[in-house]
Amino acid sequence: MPTKPFEPRGVWPALATPFTDDGEIDLDRYRRLIEFVVDQGVTGVVPCGTTGESPTLSWQEHEDLVGAAIDTVDGAVGVLAGTGSNNTQEAIRGTEDAYRRGASAALLVDCYYNGPSSLELRTEYYERVLKAVPEIPLVPYVIPGRTGCALGAEDLAMLHQSAPERVPAVKQATGDLDRMRRDRELAGPGLAIMSGDDDMTLHMMNDPAIAASGVISVMGNLVPKALSEMVAARADGDVARAGEIAAQIGPLLKCVGVKAHAVRELPDGRKLQVVDGFRNPLPLKTMMAGLGVIGRYGRRPLGQMSAPAVEVVRGAVRAVWEAAPEWLRPIEDAFDVRIAKRLEDDAAWR
């Protein structure tokens, strides 16, 4: 039996993967993170997604993380296991393991780097996984900015309408509202559209032609209660309250990706102005490390943010702490830290 039947609504934090300083998975901190977000009222958790650095995990680590998530939630919330790959056979293997362990559903990202067409994604990837592992729902994850390809709205509609209970939802991270409206138009009212971009969630819920039902969230690792209350308020029709919460945590939602100016000095002495772009999960993990939630390590090629970029995310945390400390305060008890002290400690952010 699954941990809990899959509910494509509400807030599902895409769990960050904590590592020790020598690069091993820190299962103790991982379980503590899961306990924290569950206690704050999320609908479910997502191990081994993009935020969890899934491309750099071995399959054994992948299976260990999914298993630990299922064991830790202990039926309290759902588990949407990231099992996607750019290799269909690997996706089948991961999905089979997730089903055996008791995951609620499997999240399959479009095949990165290979560049399949939408037709090939449907027939050679999603449909093959559906056939190989018929017992578990699948959620396509459309994020062309990462994958270089995209399951089209037409093929998504074919998957959903052929077996609504097998493909009940999509994680939409195209950033394209017209594409999302097309998803709804073709698939119909039964498809749950989950936001894959924290800062677009309310836009997607407010637009009746999209009617999103929740978010698979990056910042759900830091402010799960705020996001849960925001999504619940909007689902209940309280647009004003949802907007108020979104504004309060807005500085964090803008930090899923961070850009900062820098200077490169060539060996011949020339100095060049550049812009460094740091993408999820690095800004999130930098904030989590600065607050003492997890360690600093990210799997290479992810490294460390530049000092100016660190100050951007530190400033975002400070802004939320000063404007609406109630959303960050649960971190203090859960991880035995004091946020005001951590924010003023330069060594914590160095």
Side-chain angles (χ1 to χ4, degrees):
M1 293 294 292
T3 299
K4 191 175 184 181
F6 179 56
E7 298 179 81
R9 61 167 187 80
V11 174
W12 293 71
L15 298 168
T17 302
F19 296 103
T20 63
D21 289 343
D22 59 2
E24 299 299 316
I25 291 174
D26 189 337
L27 283 175
D28 288 339
R29 284 184 182 265
Y30 181 67
R31 294 187 184 98
R32 198 170 181 181
L33 174 63
I34 293 170
E35 290 167 353
F36 164 64
V37 300
V38 170
D39 185 61
Q40 296 301 302
V42 301
T43 309
V45 297
V46 183
C48 302
T50 302
T51 307
E53 299 172 74
S54 58
T56 62
L57 299 173
S58 71
W59 274 110
Q60 185 59 58
E61 290 174 327
H62 186 284
E63 292 167 2
D64 290 345
L65 287 166
V66 171
I70 291 168
D71 291 343
T72 304
V73 303
D74 194 25
V77 301
V79 176
L80 175 60
T83 63
S85 173
N86 64 348
N87 179 325
T88 299
Q89 286 305 119
E90 284 190 347
I92 289 172
R93 170 185 168 174
T95 305
E96 286 176 336
D97 180 76
Y99 167 68
R100 286 196 304 269
R101 291 173 182 268
S104 309
L107 179 70
L108 270 72
V109 68
D110 288 345
C111 299
Y112 42 89
Y113 187 78
N114 309 51
S117 65
S118 179
L119 171 64
E120 291 167 302
L121 282 168
R122 175 171 60 82
T123 61
E124 304 302 324
Y125 183 56
Y126 289 109
E127 287 181 353
R128 288 187 180 273
V129 180
L130 285 163
K131 182 178 179 180
V133 196
E135 304 90 349
I136 186 171
L138 304 185
V139 178
Y141 174 13
V142 187
I143 182 168
R146 292 268 189 181
T147 62
C149 63
L151 179 69
E154 299 81 3
D155 289 301
L156 171 63
M158 290 178 71
L159 290 171
H160 171 68
Q161 291 184 1
S162 296
E165 73 288 351
R166 297 295 320 285
V167 186
V170 62
K171 179 180 178 182
Q172 240 293 358
T174 62
D176 183 345
L177 295 174
D178 285 336
R179 160 61 204 266
M180 299 176 205
R181 296 180 187 115
R182 181 77 169 160
D183 289 344
R184 173 63 66 220
E185 175 190 358
L186 297 182
L191 178 73
I193 298 177
M194 300 289 289
S195 170
D197 295 299
D198 284 354
D199 61 348
M200 293 191 71
T201 303
L202 272 191
H203 296 292
M204 294 168 63
M205 296 185 76
N206 287 336
D207 189 329
I210 299 172
S213 55
V215 59
I216 296 174
S217 171
V218 174
M219 290 302 158
N221 287 272
L222 274 181
V223 285
K225 186 175 181 63
L227 285 162
S228 295
E229 293 196 10
M230 180 191 82
V231 170
R234 183 60 190 87
D236 289 341
D238 192 343
V239 178
R241 177 56 177 159
E244 179 185 25
I245 297 172
Q248 290 172 339
I249 61 174
L252 295 180
L253 303 188
K254 293 181 177 69
C255 283
V256 171
V258 171
K259 293 182 178 179
H261 291 277
V263 175
R264 301 281 197 276
E265 184 172 353
L266 300 182
D268 64 11
R270 285 179 293 169
K271 294 183 178 180
L272 306 174
Q273 296 287 331
V274 299
V275 176
D276 291 318
F278 300 99
R279 300 180 70 182
N280 178 49
L282 198 55
L284 168 71
K285 294 191 83 171
T286 299
M287 288 185 273
M288 294 175 76
L291 292 175
V293 174
I294 62 173
R296 297 175 180 274
Y297 189 92
R299 280 275 168 88
R300 295 181 179 90
L302 295 185
Q304 293 184 348
M305 297 174 71
S306 65
V310 171
E311 284 309 304
V312 171
V313 298
R314 186 181 182 182
V317 176
R318 181 179 286 113
V320 173
W321 178 247
E322 292 174 351
E326 65 271 21
W327 301 130
L328 287 168
R329 191 166 285 121
I331 292 172
E332 295 191 317
D333 290 337
F335 299 97
D336 194 25
V337 297
R338 292 296 171 262
I339 290 176
K341 182 177 180 181
R342 297 286 303 193
L343 282 171
E344 298 310 314
D345 182 1
D346 290 341
W349 299 87
R350 186 170 299 129

